[in-house]
Amino acid sequence: MNRHRRDFLKTAGAVATLPLLASSARGSDAPPAGKESFGCLVDLTLCVGCRKCEEACNRINALPEPPEPFDDPFVLDRRRQLQPTEFTVVNRFHTGRLDERNRAIPVFVKTQCMHCLKPACVSACIVGALQRRNDGAVFYDVSKCIGCRYCMIACPFQVPKYEYADPVTPRVRKCTFCADVISREGGKPACAAICPVEALTFGRRDKLLELARQRIRSDPGRYIDRIYGEHEVGGTGWLYLSGEPFEKLGFLDLPSRPVPQLTEAIQHGLFSFMWAPLTLFGILGGAMWLTRSGSHLKEDD
Amino acid sequence: MHSHAKPLPVRAPFWTPGVLVLTAFMVAGAAFILARFVGGLEAVTNLDQTHPWGIWIGIDVATGVALAAGGFTTAALAHVFGRRFYEPVVRPALLTAMLGYTLVPIALLIDIGRSWAIWHPIIYWQGNSVLFEVAMCVVIYTHVLYLEFIPIVMERFKGRINLPGPLGALNGVAESLLGLADRTLSKIMWIFVLAGVVLSCMHQSGLGSLMLIAPSKIHPLWYTPILPLLFLTSAIAVGFPMVIFEYTLASSSLPLKDETDLMASLSRYTAVLLGIYLALKLGDMVVRGTYAHLLEGTAQSNAFLVELLLGGIVPWLMLLSPRVRRSRRGLFAAACFIIGGVVLNRLNVFLVGYRAPHAQTSYFPSVGEIAVTAGLIAALMFLYRLLVTYLPILSPHGAEASREVIS
Ligand code: SF4
Ligand code: SF4
Ligand code: SF4
């Protein structure tokens, strides 16, 4: 037995340290859309575009005062995007439908984080700073965040926003689902609580789906037969009812497959118990041993 | 004795005009880095709410890691598969890999918003996150590279330790410590060589999985479930071209031994490896039917065509010709095409192919971003130059004499 071969056997035990990573790579299963999971139903046929929800959201999250006051109706037409300082915005859409006096009927669309059931942002986050809580809120913990912005790459709705101007302690900013409030008995998100026309209904997601179906059934002329968020990207906590096709209202056409499905399948497929890396290590080790011992035999001759 | 060539420090003056130019780039980059830490990312970059990643991720990290693949591919060739003939390229490739991987965390420190929290992944493990896996592999692999580099430093100082003044009394102790470390390390080095190759395969493919988290945003020409495999095979394929590229550059400014024969035989492997990558890429395109997008005429489809034709098929055809393989210039040109193809591929996957919903603008890097990236690349070349001048890495002219004695 030559020296290299002995070393090889002696130190083979050290290889056992490699699976250190194994437990991390296996990860946790995505949280179930449990019974206690809350959601919010937005009925676009009811919303009057008063922007009260924007104002309530601004206040409860202690966001800075916006340049235009909340009762300024003109901003509605600007197709505003979510901002680091605006966790929810309402935009006005005209789909071409007219009322009996030939006036265009506006549709107001509130946007915010969808609080996905299988959130891409949560699966992506390198340190687990984003978590989906059992109550349905996708929650951001700034104390863990490193600011890599992978969550912004991952989110299919382009929701998380970033404080680019802050040199040292920038945060990811997005709707919190008023996590502090809804965790209390009877607590409602600020936006849903303030809505004067009850366009926003907060409650258990399964109950909301029932309510939505019931509304469609009882007034089929008012609604199109689709609940946005029921299936999109594996289901979202926030659900929408509409009288107009969602495509005309700026909604994205997304598949029903959960976004993180492929990456998680690859990660867990390759790294459960580190089988793939260890196998590769073994195969390469074998190749190394063969070629080494071969060259040694020749030299020993 | 295995070593055929004897690497030596290159005896050439360090402060050449080229090195001064590198220094100028580094200073410019440093100025913008300073601005980033004063005014935030907004002050220096063109990143916005729909484009969270720019060239600091697309080039400095994703492309940098791919181009540092020469380190593990040469190690695998010479030390795992026992092709000791290629020994002379292992050290320079190891050095480039080590420098490349050292710059990755530096680039990340600049890019991530909370630089001071960069160590968080070490305690907050998140196994579902591809980024977590990549980060962990890169961190461990960088240390493996340092370990693989230690013998080179020790070789330089063994038998030559001469501590100043009263410390001179410790010369003997230091010398025997060095000897002990050297012997221990050489006994267990095979573990690190193997681990280096395995870790490289893991994170090279992992980089390909990164953008799979955004199926609705990445253009279908690049979004494929085999993207990790494509990243791995293209990284392996670009390893030797990088060696050829660096060697040709280094030997044009330093008095190095002519290794064109060795490069020619290396390029035969590249023809096969690049062929495998192209076969996978084309096969995937056929299976998924994405050729339908080829003639869209969009920025994406054009970028894809350039990447595939100029960066893949053209150099592959070049390498099939023995005449190209035997000529120093032909080899260098083919290597440049392949490297360009891989660079463009990484840029395409991370930046060009990324189409965010609600985006009102498109991303193009700012002057500051380009300056920082250029500064980091200059720093890499500067350090390469510095280390080959003082450590036994390259085989200079006249090393043949000592080589004969040894073999
Ligand atoms: S909408 Fe985006 S940010 Fe909100 S939970 Fe879903 S993936 Fe996360
Ligand atoms: S920016 Fe923060 S929250 Fe987003 S993925 Fe990175 S660490 Fe996680
Ligand atoms: S749930 Fe809370 S944070 Fe989210 S939009 Fe409503 S008020 Fe704002």
Side-chain angles (χ1 to χ4, degrees):
Chain A
M1 219 187 203
N2 64 50
R3 195 174 61 84
H4 279 286
R5 225 183 287 190
R6 265 198 315 274
D7 287 345
F8 195 97
L9 296 175
K10 230 188 302 171
T11 36
V15 177
T17 52
L18 260 180
L20 265 177
L21 276 175
S23 56
S24 83
R26 297 195 55 220
S28 58
D29 291 324
K35 286 255 190 296
E36 66 278 31
S37 169
F38 288 116
C40 198
L41 177 66
V42 186
D43 191 331
L44 299 180
T45 67
L46 296 174
C47 177
V48 293
C50 66
R51 299 183 64 212
K52 285 268 189 294
C53 54
E54 286 187 34
E55 189 174 5
C57 179
N58 176 285
R59 214 169 313 123
I60 195 164
N61 291 299
L63 299 173
E65 186 130 349
E68 295 99 348
F70 284 109
D71 51 15
D72 178 352
F74 294 105
V75 298
L76 285 165
D77 286 324
R78 223 187 298 132
R79 285 298 149 78
R80 291 168 303 149
Q81 306 291 327
L82 300 174
Q83 297 297 332
T85 53
E86 293 167 57
F87 297 174
T88 185
V89 295
V90 180
N91 286 318
R92 176 164 36 206
F93 287 81
H94 291 284
T95 58
R97 218 165 57 158
L98 304 174
D99 66 7
E100 53 288 357
R101 272 185 276 159
N102 263 345
R103 282 176 315 192
I105 304 176
V107 182
F108 300 97
V109 179
K110 173 187 188 297
T111 48
Q112 70 295 307
C113 170
M114 298 292 283
H115 296 278
C116 307
L117 303 187
K118 303 268 161 65
C121 60
V122 170
S123 174
C125 178
I126 181 169
V127 286
L130 287 153
Q131 294 288 344
R132 185 178 182 279
R133 311 192 324 175
N134 283 338
D135 61 14
V138 174
F139 188 74
Y140 169 67
D141 177 358
V142 70
S143 69
K144 287 185 180 173
C145 178
I146 67 168
C148 65
R149 309 183 300 282
Y150 190 34
C151 49
M152 300 171 70
I153 295 279
C155 171
F157 300 100
Q158 209 64 44
V159 164
K161 301 295 167 198
Y162 204 62
E163 297 179 325
Y164 284 108
D166 186 326
V168 186
T169 54
R171 292 166 295 177
V172 170
R173 303 297 270 156
K174 73 167 196 71
C175 153
T176 61
F177 209 168
C178 292
D180 288 345
V181 183
I182 65 168
S183 58
R184 273 182 250 135
E185 190 63 38
K188 272 188 185 182
C191 54
I194 206 166
C195 180
V197 292
E198 288 182 34
L200 308 175
T201 315
F202 172 77
R204 266 170 50 178
R205 186 174 183 271
D206 50 348
K207 291 273 155 50
L208 292 177
L209 279 172
E210 267 169 44
L211 173 68
R213 280 194 209 102
Q214 195 190 317
R215 283 192 195 169
I216 295 174
R217 259 200 314 274
S218 58
D219 199 347
R222 184 182 178 96
Y223 297 102
I224 57 160
D225 188 12
R226 180 177 173 194
I227 306 167
Y228 191 93
E230 182 178 11
H231 302 297
E232 275 73 15
V233 294
T236 57
W238 281 64
L239 303 162
Y240 287 80
L241 274 179
S242 168
E244 311 265 336
F246 284 104
E247 300 76 60
K248 290 189 182 172
L249 302 172
F251 284 80
L252 299 169
D253 189 16
L254 293 168
S256 53
R257 206 157 78 127
V259 172
Q261 206 174 52
L262 179 60
T263 47
E264 288 188 9
I266 292 176
Q267 291 300 97
H268 294 194
L270 284 181
F271 296 111
S272 59
F273 301 106
M274 298 298 278
W275 74 268
L278 286 178
T279 310
L280 185 60
F281 193 96
I283 294 173
L284 292 174
M288 189 187 224
W289 192 47
L290 286 176
T291 53
R292 282 223 166 165
S293 49
S295 60
H296 267 264
L297 286 181
K298 253 178 259 153
E299 268 180 40
D300 291 346
D301 282 349
Chain B
M1 194 72 191
H2 277 301
S3 33
H4 299 281
K6 180 98 181 112
L8 291 170
V10 177
R11 304 246 171 263
F14 180 71
W15 288 103
T16 57
V19 173
L20 289 175
V21 172
L22 293 180
T23 314
F25 272 110
M26 285 156 63
V27 171
F32 281 102
I33 294 173
L34 192 69
R36 176 258 175 264
F37 283 104
V38 174
L41 288 164
E42 192 175 86
V44 175
T45 70
N46 276 348
L47 300 176
D48 60 36
Q49 298 300 344
T50 44
H51 300 96
W53 283 359
I55 58 168
W56 289 352
I57 298 291
I59 295 184
D60 308 9
V61 178
T63 310
V65 166
L67 296 188
F72 89 96
T73 49
T74 51
L77 184 66
H79 295 158
V80 177
F81 297 110
R83 301 277 180 273
R84 311 301 296 227
F85 170 65
Y86 297 102
E87 199 66 47
V89 298
V90 173
R91 282 191 174 186
L94 171 64
L95 173 63
T96 338
M98 186 183 82
L99 294 176
Y101 277 89
T102 304
L103 289 185
V104 166
I106 296 178
L108 282 174
L109 275 175
I110 303 166
D111 182 80
I112 67 171
R114 306 181 148 233
S115 315
W116 45 271
I118 195 166
W119 55 275
H120 277 183
I122 298 170
I123 56 164
Y124 300 121
W125 288 14
Q126 215 285 74
N128 287 334
S129 171
V130 182
L131 192 59
F132 173 78
E133 183 235 319
V134 172
M136 282 315 198
C137 287
V138 168
V139 169
I140 301 174
Y141 181 55
T142 309
H143 288 91
V144 169
L145 285 170
Y146 289 144
L147 276 171
E148 290 185 63
F149 198 75
I150 290 179
I152 302 178
V153 182
M154 293 212 269
E155 188 179 309
R156 172 77 173 75
F157 292 105
K158 228 178 351 181
R160 276 181 237 171
I161 292 191
N162 192 5
L163 297 171
L167 288 176
L170 295 174
N171 277 351
V173 182
E175 196 71 63
S176 55
L177 276 180
L178 206 58
L180 181 69
D182 193 22
R183 280 194 301 280
T184 320
L185 209 53
S186 74
K187 261 186 214 160
I188 55 168
M189 190 49 90
W190 65 270
I191 299 178
F192 297 119
V193 171
L194 287 179
V197 177
V198 173
L199 287 163
S200 294
C201 289
M202 283 165 74
H203 70 259
Q204 293 287 2
S205 58
L207 277 172
S209 309
L210 265 189
M211 298 310 262
L212 293 184
I213 195 71
S216 54
K217 300 187 192 177
I218 306 296
H219 193 281
L221 280 171
W222 292 284
Y223 191 92
T224 158
I226 68 160
L227 198 55
L229 187 59
L230 291 177
F231 265 51
L232 177 61
T233 48
S234 58
I236 294 177
V238 84
F240 299 150
M242 270 310 277
V243 170
I244 296 173
F245 177 78
E246 287 155 22
Y247 163 77
T248 315
L249 282 191
S251 64
S252 69
S253 64
L254 298 171
L256 295 189
K257 200 179 142 317
D258 182 31
E259 303 274 19
T260 308
D261 285 347
L262 194 150
M263 300 294 153
S265 4
L266 259 190
S267 70
R268 282 178 312 153
Y269 290 102
T270 302
V272 177
L273 296 171
L274 186 63
I276 295 175
Y277 166 60
L278 288 175
L280 284 170
K281 200 170 171 76
L282 291 171
D284 171 68
M285 198 167 79
V286 173
V287 170
R288 289 184 309 116
T290 47
Y291 45 80
H293 297 281
L294 275 184
L295 299 175
E296 262 175 7
T298 56
Q300 281 84 12
S301 68
N302 292 340
F304 185 87
L305 281 174
V306 174
E307 175 202 324
L308 183 65
L309 295 176
L310 283 186
I313 293 174
V314 166
W316 185 67
L317 292 175
M318 284 170 78
L319 285 185
L320 288 188
S321 139
R323 232 192 41 223
V324 173
R325 285 205 309 267
R326 273 196 302 268
S327 103
R328 196 179 142 101
R329 248 189 230 185
L331 266 184
F332 184 67
C336 287
F337 275 115
I338 298 173
I339 294 165
V342 171
V343 171
L344 187 56
N345 172 258
R346 299 310 194 256
L347 285 179
N348 282 344
V349 170
F350 281 83
L351 304 178
V352 179
Y354 176 82
R355 298 166 310 164
H358 313 306
Q360 277 144 346
T361 52
S362 57
Y363 165 82
F364 194 83
S366 68
V367 174
E369 284 176 272
I370 295 172
V372 170
T373 296
L376 287 177
I377 296 171
L380 192 147
M381 295 169 72
F382 182 92
L383 289 172
Y384 181 94
R385 197 47 225 276
L386 187 71
L387 291 176
V388 299
T389 308
Y390 295 106
L391 293 176
I393 289 161
L394 295 169
S395 313
H397 261 325
E400 278 105 316
S402 47
R403 169 191 259 201
E404 249 111 70
V405 176
I406 284 160
S407 56

